[in-house]
Amino acid sequence: MNGVSLHKKLEENAGLLIFGILFVSAIGGLVQVLPSLFQESLQTPGTLTRVYNAVELTGRDIYIREGCHVCHTQQIRPLVAEVERYGPYSRASEFVYDRPFLWGSKRTGPDLHRIGGKYTDLWHELHLLDPRSVVPESIMPAYPWLTTRMATETGNIQRKMKALAMLGHPYSEAEIEAAPARLEGVTEMQALIVYLQMLGTTLSPEDAAMDMSMAEGH
Amino acid sequence: MNNQAEYFEDRVVLRLIQFSVVWAIVGMLVGVYVAAEFLWPGLDFGQFWLSYGRIRPLHTNGIIFGFGVSALMATAFYSVQRTSHVTLFMPKLAWICCYGWQVLVLLGGISLLAGWTTSKEYAELEWPFDIAITVLWVSFGVVFFGTIANRKIRPIYVSNWFFGALIIVIAMLHVVNNLEIPVTFGKSYSLYAGAQDAIVQWWYGHNAVGFLLTGGFLGMVYYFLPKHADQPIWSYRLSVISFWAFTYSYIWAGPHHLHYSAIPEWVQSLGMVMSLVLLAPSWATMVNGVMTVSKAWPKLKTDPALKFIVLALAFYGLATFEGPMMAIRSVNVVSHFTDWTIGHVHSGALGWNAMVTYGTFYFMVPRLVGRELYSSQLAHLHFVLALAGTLLYIVSMWAAGVSQGLLWLSVDSLGELGFSFRDIMAGMQPYYALRLIAGLIFLTGTILMGWNLFMTMKGRSPVPCKPMPVAPEWQVAPKNTQDAPAVEATA
């Protein structure tokens, strides 16, 4: 059977055509995506990588709700300029408890993967309330509503932690039990800042040390 | 089906066109607003629902799912009836698709403003919407493939392969990428984490562009271009080869969105190589389209609809050349995370998707309602505005993106960073201003089209139109009808 008559079969039989499209389009995913879902190195935490605690997790969900990832990446590339500007480049082992990943695709503002510890809590609060008061050139929106909303309103923290525990995040019963109490009296602003302050701080020292030698010059 | 309707179901096509035009205007209006927030960040007036992080996804979702998918459903329903010489299968289900989809886009948009989001690009809508999308998408598939199964002519025409690939592949991508554990009605956690989540998301994200914004719209081209140019497709063989090459190779290219990231290098390299391979089927299709229209060149002077489709092909060629180039690691190191990407997206979205849709709408609406286009001059003006808006948009974003990329990377002879991030960002204001003007020009053109089409269809309903008889040598043999699974299922 030559190519033309083979194709004649495909285009005269709807069932075959559907199957053909499904088969041909699935190959890429099966060869490229499926194996990486089983790759150990992508799901093994680093020596210091840990799950987000109740406040951090709430802060992270506020970060998602407000769409911070739309303008800020969390992915430092292994390039000299990026390592100098932001800090050690991002490792897969740091993200194993990130559901969803928040690497972003656009850097309208700077990368935030190593923002933790770079500024004070007060700076972050001022910046989130009135970005141009601390960075005159900034085009970031202000987030005044975060100070009036409480972290307990962000969502049901116990259900969230239980869902994540189901997916394999090592939360203890006690941690989940104590979670609502940890959020008492915390504003959304504070929760978001707690999350920002821990971002990128769990890179193991060995990884941080080998950084500059690995980064590519460009 | 025994109770086959006598006339084409064109009312649902017309209604989908109307919704599509409304979403185009709304989506682009939001786009213009988003662009203005780059210049005047206070434009959100301290309102959470006007905040940039929430309305930018509203813009992308409104355009892709409101404008884009409504147009795809309209053109798929219109062309599948005509190329199958039969009326629409389960027309009531088609109406459910039509209205269900509009309700979904509306409520989905509101949910984005409320802060319900998975954060994954073009898959932001939360799990209740994901389920609704799946149900409606399967219904779309049942109507479409059911019509094909009922066809009176043996061969399935090439436009239907592309619409078919759209339906099948998007269903696969959507289901796999949106596997998540619901927590509350508006919140879920992805089944995948970190780097693996990134790989799955960009397998989805890239191919949503591939099979929805490219494949689906190629279905439009393969039906409306030959129809309009009154010429057969230049090379049937080329369309066969490019279709299968396209369907096979697009899927691999997603990891070029993750160059230099924490995903394995072999995945990045494979993504890059396959992105370059993708240039071949993309340009094969473009060449096929341009050669098809080449015998109808004089028509381009007088016919705004054909002008739009041919210009769309040119932008298709541009964007599908630019894409593979940006997928090369050494180019991507500059373009990644910058406004260049935004420019690239818009050379596709404005230059290709919107223009080809405009061309098909200008073609379909007068035929559907049996009346000349209200104003051909207005359509020519729209063409000029659309072209000017698109060019200004992509040129300003090229300038912005290349500057950002190079300035971010620049280090002096001592290895010190050349520029601070905030200075580079502050330097982008002129480009953002140009982009806003470009968006306004393009939006103006779209509103003109909305008016023009509204006046054309005002007070009219679709002209009854019967399927054409099929020449005996092309008719479906009785045995074949039983082979088609969808017919059996509904008998």
Side-chain angles (χ1 to χ4, degrees):
Chain A
M1 191 195 294
N2 64 25
V4 174
S5 61
L6 169 75
H7 203 263
K8 196 164 176 295
K9 278 211 147 167
L10 274 176
E11 66 182 63
E12 293 193 358
N13 185 323
L16 268 185
L17 185 67
I18 292 173
F19 176 77
I21 292 171
L22 194 59
F23 177 74
V24 168
S25 66
I27 298 171
L30 292 175
V31 175
Q32 187 188 40
V33 176
L34 200 61
S36 52
L37 292 183
F38 294 97
Q39 189 162 335
E40 268 311 294
S41 65
L42 299 183
Q43 43 200 11
T44 312
T47 47
L48 296 180
T49 312
R50 58 174 180 79
V51 287
Y52 298 103
N53 67 34
V55 181
E56 290 159 357
L57 186 65
T58 302
R60 191 172 196 270
D61 286 341
I62 296 165
Y63 184 101
I64 293 170
R65 187 189 71 201
E66 299 303 338
C68 304
H69 56 275
V70 175
C71 290
H72 294 282
T73 54
Q74 291 188 18
Q75 182 61 232
I76 301 164
R77 297 179 291 175
L79 309 167
V80 169
E82 300 229 337
V83 172
E84 275 196 48
R85 196 182 299 279
Y86 302 116
Y89 64 87
S90 306
R91 275 32 176 224
S93 62
E94 298 180 82
F95 298 110
V96 296
Y97 299 121
D98 277 22
R99 291 177 203 268
F101 78 113
L102 290 175
W103 295 358
S105 64
K106 176 78 204 311
R107 240 177 227 167
T108 301
D111 188 278
L112 296 183
H113 188 210
R114 305 264 176 236
I115 196 71
K118 276 196 185 158
Y119 299 90
T120 62
D121 289 356
L122 180 64
W123 185 93
H124 277 299
E125 187 166 352
L126 290 173
H127 182 240
L128 284 160
L129 284 174
D130 182 6
R132 280 155 292 286
S133 69
V134 282
V135 183
E137 306 89 338
S138 172
I139 54 170
M140 190 172 104
Y143 296 89
W145 54 89
L146 296 182
T147 43
T148 51
R149 285 179 55 110
M150 301 308 291
T152 45
E153 297 171 58
T154 313
N156 187 325
I157 188 66
Q158 287 186 321
R159 286 181 68 172
K160 284 181 179 179
M161 290 169 86
K162 279 179 194 157
L164 290 172
M166 243 169 72
L167 291 166
H169 291 214
Y171 286 119
S172 67
E173 286 284 325
E175 247 178 308
I176 297 176
E177 197 60 42
R182 288 194 71 165
L183 294 185
E184 272 315 316
V186 177
T187 63
E188 286 200 333
M189 175 65 84
Q190 287 165 332
L192 178 59
I193 293 171
V194 167
Y195 168 64
L196 291 175
Q197 292 291 28
M198 75 81 64
L199 261 182
T201 57
T202 58
L203 181 67
S204 66
E206 316 87 78
D207 276 343
M210 64 183 280
D211 226 63
M212 289 309 282
S213 58
M214 294 286 291
E216 282 182 36
H218 266 279
Chain B
M1 291 221 320
N2 300 325
N3 54 344
Q4 194 71 56
E6 198 180 347
Y7 298 103
F8 287 140
E9 178 53 88
D10 281 342
R11 286 167 309 156
V12 71
V13 173
L14 197 63
R15 186 54 45 85
L16 280 162
I17 293 173
Q18 292 161 350
F19 280 126
S20 177
V21 174
V22 170
W23 289 124
I25 294 171
V26 172
M28 287 174 198
L29 201 64
V30 177
V32 166
Y33 202 86
V34 166
E37 287 191 339
F38 275 79
L39 299 168
W40 302 287
L43 266 184
D44 61 8
F45 303 108
Q47 301 298 312
F48 67 86
W49 54 276
L50 276 177
S51 188
Y52 181 85
R54 300 188 193 212
I55 64 171
R56 196 241 208 186
L58 181 71
H59 164 63
T60 53
N61 279 275
I63 290 294
I64 297 172
F65 298 110
F67 170 46
V69 171
S70 300
L72 286 170
M73 282 184 180
T75 49
F77 289 160
Y78 181 91
S79 61
V80 75
Q81 297 184 87
R82 283 154 176 84
T83 54
S84 300
H85 296 260
V86 72
T87 59
L88 213 53
F89 176 69
M90 293 179 78
K92 281 201 182 111
L93 191 61
W95 278 103
I96 292 173
C97 280
C98 167
Y99 283 110
W101 194 262
Q102 312 312 319
V103 172
L104 177 111
V105 174
L106 182 71
L107 294 182
I110 293 170
S111 81
L112 289 175
L113 295 183
W116 293 17
T117 177
T118 65
S119 87
K120 296 186 179 187
E121 273 179 90
Y122 324 128
E124 283 94 347
L125 295 180
E126 266 295 353
W127 67 272
F129 294 103
D130 292 339
I131 294 171
I133 289 173
T134 310
V135 171
L136 289 167
W137 201 257
V138 169
S139 313
F140 178 25
V142 168
V143 174
F144 181 81
F145 287 113
T147 310
I148 287 183
N150 277 347
R151 73 192 181 283
K152 296 283 187 284
I153 187 168
R154 255 189 354 260
I156 301 169
Y157 181 63
V158 48
S159 63
N160 294 321
W161 315 342
F162 280 95
F163 284 125
L166 157 78
I167 292 167
I168 295 165
V169 181
I170 291 294
M172 169 177 82
L173 298 168
H174 170 76
V175 169
V176 174
N177 187 47
N178 284 301
L179 292 177
E180 53 217 355
I181 305 284
V183 179
T184 53
F185 213 58
K187 177 74 191 171
S188 65
Y189 288 116
S190 173
L191 197 63
Y192 321 98
Q196 294 173 332
D197 196 30
I199 294 171
V200 175
Q201 156 59 20
W202 284 112
W203 169 76
Y204 165 87
H206 180 73
N207 293 299
V209 175
F211 287 86
L212 208 154
L213 297 176
T214 309
F217 287 78
L218 284 175
M220 282 188 201
V221 167
Y222 270 112
Y223 179 77
F224 290 97
L225 183 73
K227 203 78 195 159
H228 208 137
D230 215 7
Q231 298 289 333
I233 282 288
W234 179 62
S235 166
Y236 169 79
R237 196 171 287 241
L238 195 57
S239 69
V240 171
I241 294 168
S242 61
F243 172 74
W244 291 105
F246 164 88
T247 306
Y248 173 77
S249 49
Y250 223 113
I251 287 285
W252 299 75
H256 68 222
H257 292 257
L258 298 165
H259 274 327
Y260 288 101
S261 77
I263 67 163
E265 284 225 13
W266 70 268
V267 181
Q268 297 180 31
S269 304
L270 199 53
M272 171 175 123
V273 170
M274 293 309 281
S275 305
L276 288 166
V277 168
L278 196 50
L279 187 54
S282 302
W283 274 40
T285 307
M286 179 189 65
V287 168
N288 214 355
V290 172
M291 293 310 285
T292 302
V293 85
S294 65
K295 290 199 185 100
W297 245 206
K299 230 182 161 181
L300 274 179
K301 287 185 188 152
T302 52
D303 189 337
L306 191 60
K307 263 165 59 169
F308 268 112
I309 298 181
V310 171
L311 184 68
L313 271 178
F315 275 108
Y316 173 71
L318 173 76
T320 55
F321 175 75
E322 190 185 23
M325 293 306 112
M326 291 169 79
I328 300 173
R329 268 166 76 95
S330 49
V331 178
N332 190 273
V333 76
V334 175
S335 76
H336 202 39
F337 297 142
T338 71
D339 279 301
W340 187 351
T341 308
I342 313 301
H344 172 62
V345 169
H346 283 83
S347 76
L350 302 177
W352 156 243
N353 297 124
M355 300 252 201
V356 72
T357 307
Y358 296 163
T360 59
F361 285 0
Y362 281 128
F363 175 89
M364 275 196 291
V365 171
R367 275 166 185 77
L368 279 170
V369 300
R371 178 198 265 169
E372 287 276 307
L373 189 65
Y374 171 69
S375 166
S376 178
Q377 259 185 322
L378 217 52
H380 282 291
L381 177 62
H382 177 201
F383 177 83
V384 174
L385 289 174
L387 177 57
T390 307
L391 285 178
L392 186 59
Y393 195 110
I394 59 182
V395 169
S396 61
M397 289 298 98
W398 271 334
V402 174
S403 318
Q404 285 159 6
L406 293 176
L407 294 173
W408 287 344
L409 293 174
S410 78
V411 284
D412 65 17
S413 52
L414 296 172
E416 295 284 324
L417 289 173
F419 303 89
S420 73
F421 188 92
R422 55 171 78 176
D423 284 345
I424 301 170
M425 187 187 65
M428 295 302 125
Q429 289 293 307
Y431 304 124
Y432 290 153
L434 284 178
R435 183 254 299 271
L436 173 62
I437 296 167
L440 277 169
I441 295 172
F442 200 89
L443 171 66
T444 308
T446 306
I447 293 172
L448 286 185
M449 177 188 74
W451 169 250
N452 206 348
L453 294 181
F454 173 74
M455 292 306 285
T456 309
M457 60 177 98
K458 197 175 142 193
R460 307 283 285 217
S461 50
V463 181
C465 184
K466 275 187 188 176
M468 297 260 284
V470 181
E473 68 268 32
W474 292 112
Q475 275 173 11
V476 176
K479 175 178 118 332
N480 254 352
T481 329
Q482 286 192 351
D483 280 350
V487 173
E488 279 187 359
T490 55

